[in-house]
Amino acid sequence: MRPLSRPPPNSFFDDQVLRDLKLKADVGAAINEKGDLVLWGTSVSISNPEPIVTLQGKDLVKVALSSDRVLALASNGSVYSVPVSRQDQLSGQKLTPQGSLWGSSSKPETINYRLITPAALKGGEKVVEVSSGLEHCIMLTSKGRVFSAAASTQEFPSKGQLGVPGLTWETRPSGDYDQAHELTTLSNIPITQIAAGDLHSVLLSKTGKVFVFGDNIYGQLGFATSRGHQYVDTPVEVQLDKLYNKTNYVPRATSIAAGGMTTFFTVDATKVLTSGTVAPAAKDSPPQTFDVWACGSGLFGTLGGGKFVHAASQPVKVKSLSSVFEFDESTNKLAPVKISHLSAGTTHVCAVMDAKASARRSRDGVNHGGDVLFWGGNEQYQLGTGKRTNLNAPTYIAGLDSSTRNTDDALVAGGDQRLQLAPKRTVRLDNGKGRKVSAEQKVECGGLVTAVYSSV
């Protein structure tokens, strides 16, 4: 696709709200409000790259992209693996639709897909989240278990990103190449969040611990591996305590993100008074702090630490988003300024600030939505600045409909024309004449491309 220096709207999605959206430079995948899969891009069809509805009638809720497949999660926990290529979708054997009752005949599906739902689910358990790298995907169940599977027909994941010790193409068990594998080493550790980079995986436990596995050539696992061992094929805990060993703060990870060759995690840290210490005044030493950490490839500024570095095997703090405080008039105390969401693409990242904090910084005090800051690679204009200059620290950009975009530079200092995502509200579609829906704006960083969309 041709790089675009200004963010244009996609007319196909006018007056539509989406359940989910994932993007790459040559393919986009969305779940529309009906739960159907919409695909577009040159990888779908060179002759007709416009959006087209593909997998229908499955009540899909989540979507992820590998190098050549689309992973779609249904509300009932079924996980579908669909070819990106329209030609591949229309060729091959079509499965019979699931759920046909009493042996009644039913027509074959209109497109080719594979079901990769884990077979070893327990009673009442279902997949609730899916994330994908180039070759693999990871799936989280309602009971906190994690499964992994091959997610591409181009290359079997053999860099440890499946989290199964010793698993390669040669050692794989009999059966389908993309069968699901449970991460048994974490069977007694409930997981609440999952994230996949290109060739590595990140997990967040219920107790606030971060586990990583997979390729580590750029240090994206948060620690240095011994020479000759480029990857780790079993989940390893990131030592958060070491990041705070010279403080009185006890860390607990609260969210994770991964993209390309980088890993991010946020931490809530609580101050603990040791014996013999005197409790400092709250204004001098807040009892809690919030930090954002990054590790992996930073050549494009993706780590957000203010430098361009080839690799960082030890987590570095994203300083402008960490240990930032504001006075909260409701409690008369300093409160940490937090982010509500991180989205990590292949080389660029965005952070959505907590909407309440954004409202406090607004001149009129109105909650216009969460501020959005971008940083990292900008080789395809994916930062929305109108230029190709990479940014090594979180930066505000102008609103998508701001008059600032008529200038040569869409960077702003954080004034009222900065980009903010609209909070959840009831809106009426079809230019205010259609039906009412409850929607909020979200932002998605993908493979060298970014999108802002309305989500249900």
Side-chain angles (χ1 to χ4, degrees):
M1 294 181 180
R2 178 174 58 87
L4 298 174
S5 60
R6 299 299 183 193
N10 189 319
S11 59
F12 177 87
F13 294 104
D14 285 352
D15 290 317
Q16 289 195 48
V17 288
L18 305 178
R19 294 184 178 184
D20 199 13
L21 173 71
K22 292 294 183 293
L23 302 161
K24 289 190 176 182
D26 56 358
V27 60
I31 306 298
N32 64 21
E33 189 184 2
K34 296 180 180 179
D36 299 331
L37 176 63
V38 181
L39 296 177
W40 67 96
T42 55
S43 285
V44 179
S45 173
I46 295 177
S47 60
N48 183 22
E50 297 303 313
I52 183 172
V53 179
T54 57
L55 188 62
Q56 303 180 57
K58 306 299 184 186
D59 194 22
L60 304 175
V61 292
K62 298 284 185 179
V63 67
L65 287 170
S66 75
S67 60
D68 66 340
R69 309 283 294 187
V70 182
L71 292 309
L73 172 66
S75 60
N76 66 1
S78 298
V79 183
Y80 300 86
S81 176
V82 182
V84 166
S85 167
R86 184 63 176 167
Q87 181 178 350
D88 291 343
Q89 293 171 21
L90 298 177
S91 64
Q93 182 179 2
K94 311 297 192 304
L95 298 179
T96 300
Q98 289 183 310
S100 56
L101 300 176
W102 316 115
S104 60
S105 61
S106 56
K107 296 180 180 180
E109 298 282 8
T110 57
I111 69 168
N112 173 24
Y113 65 78
R114 296 179 62 82
L115 271 172
I116 61 171
T117 314
L121 297 180
K122 301 175 182 179
E125 184 180 22
K126 68 176 185 178
V127 177
V128 295
E129 189 63 71
V130 61
S131 183
S132 180
L134 294 177
E135 306 165 355
H136 78 294
C137 71
I138 46 179
M139 296 169 275
L140 175 66
T141 77
S142 54
K143 293 185 180 296
R145 292 199 294 164
V146 178
F147 292 80
S148 62
S152 169
T153 60
Q154 297 179 344
E155 191 76 26
F156 189 81
S158 298
K159 294 186 180 296
Q161 64 267 52
L162 292 177
V164 181
L167 181 58
T168 65
W169 176 258
E170 291 76 17
T171 63
R172 72 189 190 283
S174 59
D176 294 337
Y177 81 97
D178 55 357
Q179 63 185 283
H181 309 271
E182 183 182 0
L183 274 63
T184 56
T185 56
L186 297 176
S187 57
N188 295 320
I189 302 176
I191 301 299
T192 58
Q193 292 182 31
I194 59 175
D198 279 355
L199 301 172
H200 72 289
S201 304
V202 188
L203 312 176
L204 176 66
S205 77
K206 186 177 181 180
T207 57
K209 296 180 179 180
V210 178
F211 295 88
V212 291
F213 48 95
D215 184 51
N216 197 35
I217 190 171
Y218 291 101
Q220 57 263 49
L221 301 188
F223 53 85
T225 48
S226 58
R227 182 172 298 181
H229 294 80
Q230 179 180 312
Y231 63 83
V232 175
D233 61 4
T234 188
V236 176
E237 182 182 348
V238 177
Q239 299 301 311
L240 301 181
D241 290 339
K242 290 185 177 180
L243 303 177
Y244 294 85
N245 62 359
K246 294 183 180 180
T247 72
N248 288 331
Y249 285 102
V250 176
R252 175 189 174 97
T254 53
S255 70
I256 55 175
M261 304 296 181
T262 52
T263 298
F264 298 86
F265 52 89
T266 64
V267 170
D268 278 346
T270 304
K271 197 171 187 64
V272 176
L273 299 178
T274 58
S275 59
T277 61
V278 178
K283 63 183 181 64
D284 296 326
S285 182
Q288 290 185 330
T289 187
F290 173 86
D291 298 315
V292 181
W293 296 88
C295 53
S297 175
L299 191 60
F300 296 94
T302 317
L303 298 177
K307 298 179 180 180
F308 295 99
V309 296
H310 183 68
S313 60
Q314 298 297 322
V316 296
K317 188 178 291 188
V318 183
K319 294 181 179 179
S320 60
L321 298 178
S322 302
S323 302
V324 180
F325 301 91
E326 288 185 337
F327 185 76
D328 189 343
E329 294 183 354
S330 63
T331 61
N332 290 323
K333 295 180 180 179
L334 286 176
V337 176
K338 299 184 178 183
I339 62 175
S340 62
H341 180 68
L342 272 175
S343 179
T346 303
T347 64
H348 73 297
V349 192
C350 77
V352 181
M353 304 302 296
D354 177 76
K356 293 182 180 179
S358 298
R360 287 195 293 268
R361 286 192 293 276
S362 176
R363 292 179 183 178
D364 56 13
V366 177
N367 183 4
H368 297 287
D371 292 334
V372 188
L373 295 96
F374 290 88
W375 69 94
N378 201 19
E379 57 270 45
Q380 300 294 317
Y381 300 105
Q382 62 263 42
L383 297 185
T385 63
K387 296 184 177 181
R388 279 182 162 169
T389 305
N390 299 332
L391 301 175
N392 59 21
T395 306
Y396 292 102
I397 69 169
L400 302 183
D401 56 354
S402 170
S403 60
T404 306
R405 292 201 168 271
N406 295 324
T407 68
D408 292 332
D409 193 351
L411 291 172
V412 294
D416 287 343
Q417 289 188 321
R418 65 190 183 274
L419 175 61
Q420 293 178 299
L421 299 183
K424 196 162 190 176
R425 62 183 65 176
T426 299
V427 297
R428 191 179 291 275
L429 301 179
D430 193 17
N431 294 320
K433 300 178 182 179
R435 61 189 179 81
K436 291 182 178 180
V437 297
S438 179
E440 61 181 325
Q441 280 189 326
K442 291 185 178 180
V443 60
E444 175 67 26
C445 293
L448 310 181
V449 64
T450 306
V452 176
Y453 66 101
S454 296
S455 170
V456 288

